[in-house]
Amino acid sequence: METTSRLSVRARELDSADPLAGLRKRFLGHDDAGVPAYLDGNSLGRPLAATLERLNDFVRHQWGGRLIRGWDEGWLALPRQIGDQLGEHVLGAAAGQCVVADSTTVLLYKLARAAVAAVSGDGVRNEIVLDRDNFPTDRYVMEGIAAECGMTLRWVEAEYDGGVTPEAVASAVGPQTALVVLSHVAYRSGFAADVPAITDVVHRAGGRVLWDLCHSAGSVPAELDAWNVDYAAGCSYKYLNGGPGAPAWAYVASRHLADFNQPIRGWLGAGDPFGMGREFVPAAGIQRVVSGTPPILGVLAMQDMIGLIAEAGMDAVRQKSVQLTSFAVEAFDELLAPLGGVLASPRDPALRGSHITIDHPLSRDVTARLWEQGVIPDYRNPNGIRLGLSPLSTSFEETRTGIEAVAAGLGATARP
């Protein structure tokens, strides 16, 4: 009880001092007594009340009122407009390099396939470098491209509670490297990679790099232009709160747009889509990354969160994220480590994103029971409870409540 009381006081102090605390009220369900702790914002972010209003207005007045005329009245331009907003406020990318389209899987394929085509024409650069602990989709897509193009995968090993370092990448790249595919923040451990340093290592080896920002965009600042990144992609339903199945986004550095050979040729990636030409002639600029009809409802849902991030500022968002995960580590040390929990994430806040993972043999069973109580962390194999702390919608008190519930669940499950 003494530890619980101390953590409770600490959480209240942190919430009281949090300059972003007032923004939490803008999220639907933030005061839902049936969900005392939602610690899975890095899998699906809470919706904003403004999004409910925006989508209701769209269905009633634009879709319902303007009907098909809406495509000519702005819908077709939305993926590029929202892409530019995302680039400006979240990704550190100048206009004309980001677009919202497709799923993360499809965009990873498009970007990687185009990158490989651009650099492997001489047959010498025939390797794709990636790490074994990367998200399954990234690994599966690259396996498919390697098989399709007769290329070889070269694997980088990462520390279990860490991630890929510049030194590890330097040991894997060379004259045969065509493309390196890595995650900015590792989906399991939460390790935040040194993007500019690794990108520089890859470029000095003559290759290109594709960064997956699914677990960082909206919680960890990015400077894609300043970091000299070639390509990047990420989803919008985690820290960007676009909703279930919301479309992903792609970044292609302006210097690579001219040689971007679209591998999935659809009519809206053509220069004159309504010309219905016999042959595919790609559009100029970032539009050539697009294939089919844009998912307008999902695109709209991103706008409000991007606007909220712009209001708060990414630096403040990152500061809150660091404080949340640091408090979670503090609570782990006091409550979970004595129960046999193992921190499977970096202790240094500069090396982690906005989630931490705690390993325990009972994690799967405990997570299932917590969900029934409205305490919602995430489970990740082999035995991790992942706590996703979304900076703008998660409070310190909510974090404390969730970790205390994890501790109670582990203690109760461990007893015969």
Side-chain angles (χ1 to χ4, degrees):
M1 290 297 294
E2 182 178 345
T3 296
T4 300
S5 176
R6 193 199 69 79
L7 287 174
S8 180
V9 170
R10 175 73 172 142
R12 288 197 296 269
E13 289 174 346
L14 288 167
D15 278 327
S16 178
D18 176 18
L20 303 181
L23 301 182
R24 189 167 178 263
K25 297 179 181 178
R26 302 191 194 179
F27 292 87
L28 293 175
H30 72 91
D31 55 355
D32 184 356
V35 183
Y38 184 61
L39 305 182
D40 209 358
N42 64 323
S43 284
L44 179 64
R46 288 185 180 275
L48 283 158
T51 301
L52 177 62
E53 297 174 7
R54 182 187 296 275
L55 294 180
N56 182 60
D57 179 77
F58 177 83
V59 171
R60 286 181 178 276
H61 300 110
Q62 293 192 49
W63 181 6
R66 301 308 296 162
L67 297 171
I68 199 170
R69 293 173 291 184
W71 290 112
D72 293 328
E73 295 170 353
W75 297 354
L76 282 174
L78 272 175
R80 296 190 307 277
Q81 292 174 359
I82 305 305
D84 283 346
Q85 293 173 18
L86 185 66
E88 178 182 1
H89 299 298
V90 179
L91 303 176
Q97 300 174 102
C98 295
V99 68
V100 180
D102 306 311
S103 67
T104 306
T105 304
V106 172
L107 289 179
L108 286 172
Y109 176 81
K110 287 182 178 182
L111 298 179
R113 190 66 181 79
V116 164
V119 301
S120 62
D122 57 6
V124 175
R125 295 193 175 274
N126 58 6
E127 290 186 350
I128 299 174
V129 178
L130 65 165
D131 65 292
R132 292 193 185 276
D133 202 32
N134 210 336
F135 193 77
T137 289
D138 301 60
R139 292 184 278 110
Y140 299 162
V141 169
M142 298 313 138
E143 287 174 357
I145 291 176
E148 178 183 334
C149 300
M151 303 182 75
T152 300
L153 297 179
R154 180 176 290 275
W155 297 95
V156 176
E157 304 296 337
E159 294 293 331
Y160 182 74
D161 60 352
V164 178
T165 64
E167 294 76 18
V169 173
S171 68
V173 298
Q176 293 179 296
T177 303
L179 180 67
V180 176
V181 181
L182 300 169
S183 288
H184 181 193
V185 170
Y187 84 98
R188 187 188 51 76
S189 71
F191 176 84
D194 189 340
V195 176
I198 291 175
T199 299
D200 182 61
V201 167
V202 177
H203 288 170
R204 283 191 279 112
R208 296 186 184 182
V209 62
L210 164 57
W211 286 99
D212 180 337
L213 271 66
C214 281
H215 285 87
S216 62
S219 64
V220 179
E223 295 293 339
L224 298 183
D225 286 351
W227 293 343
N228 205 25
V229 166
D230 299 301
Y231 312 93
C235 64
S236 66
Y237 45 78
K238 300 181 189 299
Y239 300 112
L240 296 177
N241 302 64
W249 54 268
Y251 165 89
V252 179
S254 57
R255 64 185 180 278
H256 295 318
L257 285 170
D259 69 10
F260 187 92
N261 187 4
Q262 166 65 272
I264 305 178
R265 297 181 175 185
W267 73 309
L268 285 181
D272 182 12
F274 292 96
M276 307 296 178
R278 289 192 173 188
E279 297 181 354
F280 180 80
V281 178
I286 194 66
Q287 184 65 29
R288 65 175 53 199
V289 178
V290 176
S291 296
T293 304
I296 296 301
L297 290 174
V299 173
L300 286 171
M302 298 173 61
Q303 282 185 283
D304 298 301
M305 190 60 183
I306 295 172
L308 189 62
I309 291 172
E311 179 182 339
M314 272 306 304
D315 288 342
V317 170
R318 175 56 175 165
Q319 183 178 356
K320 171 75 176 291
S321 170
V322 167
Q323 290 177 327
L324 278 169
T325 58
S326 296
F327 176 69
V329 170
E330 180 183 342
F332 160 83
D333 286 337
E334 294 196 16
L335 298 177
L336 303 181
L339 296 173
V342 175
L343 184 65
S345 298
R347 282 191 170 272
D348 183 349
L351 297 180
R352 64 175 180 249
S354 204
H355 69 269
I356 66 168
T357 297
I358 298 149
D359 281 356
H360 194 283
L362 302 174
S363 292
R364 185 191 291 270
D365 291 340
V366 167
T367 300
R369 293 174 184 175
L370 290 175
W371 277 37
E372 295 174 358
Q373 304 168 23
V375 174
I376 307 177
D378 207 356
Y379 172 77
R380 282 294 178 264
N381 279 329
N383 57 2
I385 294 179
R386 192 176 64 173
L387 308 179
L389 309 175
S390 189
L392 294 179
S393 61
T394 306
S395 69
F396 293 93
E397 183 66 15
E398 186 176 15
T399 303
R400 177 196 68 82
T401 298
I403 294 176
E404 287 184 356
V406 172
L410 289 176
T413 306
R415 288 194 294 270

